[in-house]
Amino acid sequence: MTYDVVIVGAGFSAIALTINLLRTLPPSACIAVVGDDPGFGRGTAYRTEFHLHRLNVPAARMSMFPDKPNDFVDWLRRNGKPVFAEDFACRADYGLYLRDTLAALLRNRQRADVDFIKAKAICCTRREGSELVFNLDSGTMLRASNVVLALGVGSAGLPAAAAELPLRSRERVIENPWRLGWLSRVRPDDEICILGSGLTMIDQVLSLREHGHRGRISVLSRRGLVPHGHLARRETPEPPVLPNSGDISGLLRAMRQQVKQGAPWRAVVDGLRPQTQALWQSLTREQRSRFLRHGFAWWNIHRHRIAPEVAARFGALVEDGTVSVHAGYIKGMTGEGDRCRIDYRPRGTDVSASLSADWVVNCTGMERAGIAHSPLLQAMRDGGMLATDPLGLGICVDQRSQVLGPDGGRQAGVYAVGALTAGQFWEITAVPDIRAQAQDLSVVIADEVAKALPRAAQRA
Ligand SMILES: Cc1cc2nc3c(=O)[nH]c(=O)nc-3n(C[C@H](O)[C@H](O)[C@H](O)COP(=O)(O)OP(=O)(O)OC[C@H]3O[C@@H](n4cnc5c(N)ncnc54)[C@H](O)[C@@H]3O)c2cc1C
């Protein structure tokens, strides 16, 4: 049997596409969803159980369906969790909402068939004609007319200096903090050093406190910038003042000017949001690269803000000295018995400083090397089925999310969704953007499936 669509992935992108395809494909179609994560649809973001792991987008903008903005808020109310539209709900509840939304569509008998297959896809090749063939780690082979890569992006690895640590100390280095098992090994007074100061760091600090940790936590990142908080009431976004040239420095100057003239900075950042994909696409590769080098960290802390309750909790820990944030460059890591010492050069100085801790936790965020996390993507690249983004932002796709090969040509029937497509869309990591991409892509695929129906009938 040949599936009309095989979706590879088990996070929000995969569930969003499955839901949209169930609404656009005819009942005769068949879909396979291949994911290696038992919590299908939740991914790293929404499988947490901890109540202070909040969404960083208000509930009113987290509906699965852009045309039904109250869908998530209504679900929360139906489930006895009344919230206001501007509240920041728990991520765990969002995971349950996704599950229920999919289940409701699956109960409809007049729909496409869906097989959920728990496995890892390890290789994809194209047979003569246009059929695509997947090999799974279970030994199974799947055939498909269309495939969608919804793999997310991996986490960044540890700084190279960690390789110098003796084995005994390396056990105290947590490379992937999302495997939450490490928390139960931490003693209440252990000292922790977290590398990276973004959203993952905030999550881990709060998880540590929830697990009874009371010791000191040092945070080290190149710039020492920590995400800002949302306000409890959202300010109306300011219409952006765009400079005539597509120059990023000019844009940032214009934004600062708006703020100087009295516009609230959050409203200025939010006002730019509807334009960010188009702005990104208007930049040259050199301009994008400059932005990634100089503006990315600054942009991130203003754009990807945390819920007010979370900001207040984290702020209190900084205030009472439990958490200290340092800006600097790691020079080396050494073992001190069971502990680790991190030598670093504080930003803007020539001196050396060091931090000593019982645990070092890698929270350096998403992988920027492109596809190092995925043997499947590497095999597809080696087989000439895809090309990596030149700036390390996932893989090359066109405006319709269709994957481009090394010669820039469209790969028939191969698509991608989510952060893997950041090279083309930039602003494509959060729900409001991915759900729109999934909706658009489901229409493109439904069109392809409809075109193939007469051909299949002729062959039969
Ligand atoms: C902690 C956290 C909090 C967030 N909070 C918010 C928020 O509040 N609001 C918001 O809008 N966005 C938020 N985001 C952004 C979030 O990334 C997206 O909303 C979304 O979860 C991304 O989903 P994804 O499916 O693209 O990737 P992922 O969630 O990474 O899922 C990819 C899945 O594919 C599977 N997979 C990979 N390779 C294979 C393979 N070869 N075969 C089979 N399966 C494979 C992986 O196991 C994984 O389960 C948050 C992100 C994180 C990490």
Side-chain angles (χ1 to χ4, degrees):
M1 150 185 189
T2 301
Y3 286 100
D4 293 297
V5 194
V6 168
I7 301 168
V8 188
F12 176 78
S13 297
I15 200 168
L17 192 71
T18 309
I19 286 171
N20 278 286
L21 285 173
L22 282 168
R23 298 170 109 206
T24 52
L25 286 180
S28 58
C30 48
I31 308 169
V33 188
V34 180
D36 62 352
D37 187 337
F40 174 72
R42 299 192 192 193
T44 306
Y46 311 118
R47 78 162 83 96
T48 170
E49 304 275 296
F50 174 37
H51 76 286
L52 255 189
H53 283 169
R54 296 292 173 87
L55 294 172
N56 50 31
V57 175
R61 280 185 288 131
M62 289 295 285
S63 162
M64 172 58 86
F65 310 107
D67 52 340
K68 289 203 278 173
N70 283 333
D71 202 52
F72 177 47
V73 175
D74 289 345
W75 180 93
L76 285 165
R77 289 181 182 153
R78 277 199 307 280
N79 285 276
K81 299 169 189 210
V83 295
F84 293 108
E86 288 299 310
D87 284 350
F88 296 83
C90 296
R91 298 211 302 265
D93 285 336
Y94 194 68
L96 297 176
Y97 160 70
L98 295 176
R99 184 201 62 184
D100 280 6
T101 307
L102 177 65
L105 284 164
L106 291 176
R107 278 196 291 274
N108 175 7
R109 291 187 173 276
Q110 288 300 306
R111 58 159 174 86
D113 269 348
V114 192
D115 289 337
F116 293 96
I117 301 169
K118 188 176 171 308
K120 196 174 188 76
I122 45 177
C123 174
C124 175
T125 49
R126 193 184 291 282
R127 286 239 175 111
E128 266 177 49
S130 59
E131 194 175 65
L132 296 148
V133 179
F134 271 106
N135 292 89
L136 310 185
D137 63 352
S138 55
T140 308
M141 202 179 77
L142 298 180
R143 299 202 301 264
S145 305
N146 299 282
V147 306
V148 184
L149 304 168
L151 313 178
V153 286
S155 312
L158 281 166
E164 296 157 18
L165 284 170
L167 208 55
R168 191 164 154 209
S169 312
R170 232 180 289 164
E171 283 168 13
R172 295 304 191 103
V173 178
I174 309 302
E175 178 153 9
N176 179 359
W178 296 115
R179 298 198 187 108
L180 293 176
W182 75 277
L183 288 167
S184 57
R185 290 158 54 207
V186 175
R187 291 164 303 191
D189 294 323
D190 279 353
E191 285 183 74
I192 315 273
C193 176
I194 297 186
L195 306 179
S197 59
L199 297 170
T200 309
M201 176 278 290
I202 304 259
D203 261 20
Q204 295 302 323
V205 167
L206 298 186
S207 302
L208 277 160
R209 305 313 279 177
E210 178 71 5
H211 277 77
H213 177 254
R214 296 290 169 260
R216 290 167 62 91
I217 302 174
S218 309
V219 174
L220 174 64
S221 72
R222 272 178 290 185
R223 292 169 199 263
L225 295 173
V226 173
H228 288 289
H230 283 285
L231 296 180
R233 281 185 73 83
R234 188 175 184 234
E235 294 149 329
T236 310
E238 288 281 327
V241 179
L242 299 177
N244 291 333
S245 69
D247 167 33
I248 275 290
S249 318
L251 175 67
L252 296 183
R253 265 198 307 277
M255 291 173 80
R256 286 200 179 102
Q257 190 61 23
Q258 271 181 293
V259 174
K260 264 195 202 145
Q261 286 166 354
W265 69 261
R266 290 175 181 83
V268 171
V269 171
D270 292 351
L272 193 66
R273 179 137 196 228
Q275 318 264 356
T276 40
Q277 287 194 350
L279 262 171
W280 174 257
Q281 288 170 353
S282 72
L283 299 180
T284 62
R285 186 190 299 181
E286 177 49 31
Q287 287 170 325
R288 291 180 186 187
S289 170
R290 264 172 55 83
F291 169 70
L292 291 176
R293 279 198 309 275
H294 304 297
F296 180 60
W298 179 89
W299 173 252
N300 258 353
I301 60 161
H302 291 87
R303 161 72 188 85
H304 299 287
R305 304 191 291 269
I306 49 181
E309 302 85 337
V310 174
R313 183 82 188 271
F314 182 78
L317 291 170
V318 173
E319 190 96 331
D320 73 14
T322 305
V323 174
S324 56
V325 180
H326 309 263
Y329 303 87
I330 297 180
K331 310 292 289 175
M333 286 166 77
T334 41
E336 286 179 335
D338 278 347
R339 287 165 61 89
C340 304
R341 198 181 80 208
I342 296 126
D343 295 311
Y344 71 101
R345 175 170 65 78
R347 191 177 177 83
T349 73
D350 284 330
V351 300
S352 290
S354 67
L355 295 165
S356 186
D358 297 291
W359 299 91
V360 176
V361 189
N362 179 32
C363 294
T364 48
M366 286 198 280
E367 183 210 351
R368 278 275 299 284
I371 62 169
H373 67 291
S374 172
L376 169 65
L377 295 178
Q378 289 171 33
M380 289 178 76
R381 178 202 53 200
D382 296 345
M385 291 184 72
L386 57 80
T388 50
D389 175 76
L391 296 175
L393 299 171
I395 62 177
C396 298
V397 299
D398 71 3
Q399 191 61 27
R400 295 186 338 156
S401 306
Q402 187 161 1
V403 171
L404 304 175
D407 59 357
R410 293 192 175 89
Q411 291 289 314
V414 187
Y415 305 90
V417 271
L420 260 188
T421 63
Q424 169 70 280
F425 299 111
W426 174 247
E427 187 87 74
I428 196 72
T429 50
V431 164
D433 305 295
I434 298 177
R435 71 181 176 189
Q437 185 186 31
Q439 195 177 46
D440 292 349
L441 183 54
S442 72
V443 174
V444 170
I445 292 177
D447 210 33
E448 292 300 320
V449 171
K451 277 193 243 160
L453 281 177
R455 290 202 297 273
Q458 261 173 20
R459 280 200 302 272

